[in-house]
Amino acid sequence: MLVYAKNPRGVLHLDRFRIHGKETGRNPVDIPFELYKTCKDGLQNATYREGYLRSKFGRHCPEVAFTYNEIRFLPEKTLKTLAQVTGISIDDEWTRKGLIDAIKGALRNVSPAA
C-alpha cells in the first residue's frame, strides 16, 4: 500500500518502515497490506501514478492518478485499462465490484512482504 503519515509534517515508524507526512516533500512509502490494515488510522493513502504501476507490473500504463480508496469511483473504461496494466484477465461476466476487487488485490499483491 502506498501511504504517507497522517500528520502532514510528521514521521511515523512502523516495523522497518519510516513513513513521512505529505508536506515533508518525501515520497510515499509502499508498505505491506497487513501493516496498513492494522495501522490505517495513522496513515493517509498516497496517489498511485503511471510510473509506480509501470515499475511494479512491467507494462505500459497511460497517465492515471488515484488512491486505493478511490478505485471504486473510477469510470469503467479506466478500470478495464487498470486491469490490463495489472495483468488481470477480465471475463464478460464480471461485475463492476469483481473488477474493482481484482484490481485492489493486484495492488496488494505487489506490496512488499511483511
Side-chain angles (χ1 to χ4, degrees):
M1 296 298 303
L2 213 49
V3 295
Y4 286 110
K6 192 166 225 158
N7 182 341
R9 294 189 181 128
V11 178
L12 186 61
H13 296 272
L14 296 175
D15 286 346
R16 66 182 193 271
F17 300 97
R18 186 175 181 163
I19 305 164
H20 294 270
K22 194 170 189 172
E23 291 181 12
T24 61
R26 302 284 185 107
N27 289 332
V29 177
D30 196 4
I31 64 171
F33 185 69
E34 294 302 318
L35 183 60
Y36 170 77
K37 283 191 335 188
T38 60
C39 303
K40 66 181 172 184
D41 290 339
L43 300 170
Q44 175 184 1
N45 288 326
T47 304
Y48 287 92
R49 297 192 181 273
E50 61 277 359
Y52 174 85
L53 297 172
R54 194 177 315 117
S55 70
K56 290 294 185 178
F57 295 101
R59 296 188 168 128
H60 172 73
C61 181
E63 194 170 314
V64 66
F66 60 91
T67 65
Y68 185 80
N69 292 337
E70 294 172 344
I71 293 173
R72 63 186 171 149
F73 302 113
L74 295 174
E76 193 79 23
K77 182 178 178 182
T78 305
L79 290 173
K80 289 181 178 180
T81 301
L82 286 175
Q84 289 177 341
V85 169
T86 57
I88 298 168
S89 302
I90 56 175
D91 189 346
D92 291 338
E93 296 179 10
W94 278 30
T95 63
R96 178 177 172 82
K97 183 178 179 344
L99 182 57
I100 291 167
D101 290 344
I103 293 167
K104 285 184 170 185
L107 290 174
R108 287 191 305 264
N109 289 339
V110 295
S111 291

